[in-house]
Amino acid sequence: MNPRLNSSTQWTSLPAELLTQIRDVLDQAFEEWLKKQPGQFVTEGRIYANELLFRIGYVEQGRLVQANFEVSLDFDAIKQNALEQIHFAVDCAGSLLQEYLDHDQDLHALPRQWQKQTIENRPVFVRFSTENTALEAEADRLLGLKSDSLVQEDADQPGTELDEDENDCGDHSDDN
């Protein structure tokens, strides 16, 4: 997963137990769909100093392509409740997944770069990717890049967009 902000280099993963609970909810919510399209959901999340990043992925059985719905929120641990922010990010990613499924898994309309949206009067950045979590993890393990420490660092992979104060995502609805 690549963060949106350039300043996002050190991160902590969301707890494995929480990610498992989210996957269980997805399995229940999309039970009928999974019967028609066997596969598995993948959930990942990271907390950076100023950003919360969350991903719901889906890998169809027998395929390598993973459809990922990623959400990035500005995050301030002092002013915001982390669990509330995580739940909001999960809801946003879940809505993207539902929209994808409702439109016959059409990938063409989904943003590949971070795109700013306003949801519940809050700025939310969303994008779609096809990075396969399991393959990336195995590559990291083989290259010796995997670490079990609480705080991880991606010094070689800065954010994919400018920081919010320098960022212009094209949403000028508040400019008038």
Side-chain angles (χ1 to χ4, degrees):
M1 285 189 351
N2 293 319
R4 171 180 51 90
L5 302 175
N6 286 331
S7 61
S8 295
T9 56
Q10 291 187 331
W11 52 274
T12 300
S13 291
L14 295 183
E17 183 178 328
L18 177 61
L19 295 172
T20 299
Q21 290 172 353
I22 295 167
R23 260 191 320 277
D24 291 344
V25 169
L26 290 168
D27 287 343
Q28 290 174 349
F30 294 99
E31 181 177 14
E32 291 302 314
W33 186 80
L34 286 170
K35 288 179 183 176
K36 297 176 204 167
Q37 298 283 334
Q40 68 179 19
F41 289 109
V42 177
T43 53
E44 297 177 84
R46 295 178 178 177
I47 297 177
Y48 295 88
N50 298 308
E51 178 180 9
L52 186 140
L53 188 59
F54 180 74
R55 170 194 284 172
I56 292 176
Y58 173 74
V59 181
E60 190 175 337
Q61 188 174 5
R63 304 226 24 214
L64 292 177
V65 173
Q66 179 175 313
N68 298 310
F69 307 90
E70 300 178 6
V71 174
S72 170
L73 304 174
D74 291 331
F75 180 66
D76 183 340
I78 296 172
K79 295 179 183 177
Q80 296 173 307
N81 179 300
L83 193 54
E84 287 176 9
Q85 295 301 306
I86 293 166
H87 284 244
F88 182 68
V90 170
D91 287 346
C92 292
S95 293
L96 292 171
L97 171 65
Q98 183 66 57
E99 187 175 322
Y100 168 76
L101 298 178
D102 288 347
H103 292 95
D104 296 322
Q105 302 160 334
D106 180 16
L107 305 176
H108 301 295
L110 300 170
R112 301 296 176 135
Q113 301 296 321
W114 288 114
Q115 183 178 74
K116 184 178 181 180
Q117 297 183 357
T118 302
I119 301 173
E120 296 180 11
N121 296 319
R122 296 167 61 179
V124 176
F125 298 85
V126 299
R127 78 171 176 186
F128 174 81
S129 73
T130 56
E131 176 182 296
N132 186 302
T133 303
L135 291 178
E136 291 293 321
E138 182 62 13
D140 288 349
R141 186 190 68 75
L142 291 171
L143 294 171
L145 301 175
K146 184 168 169 71
S147 169
D148 292 333
S149 71
L150 181 60
V151 177
Q152 305 283 329
E153 186 160 4
D154 287 335
D156 61 328
Q157 290 185 346
T160 55
E161 293 222 358
L162 298 175
D163 287 333
E164 178 63 23
D165 58 332
E166 301 172 18
N167 192 2
D168 183 0
C169 292
D171 181 9
H172 297 286
S173 58
D174 297 336
D175 290 352
N176 296 333

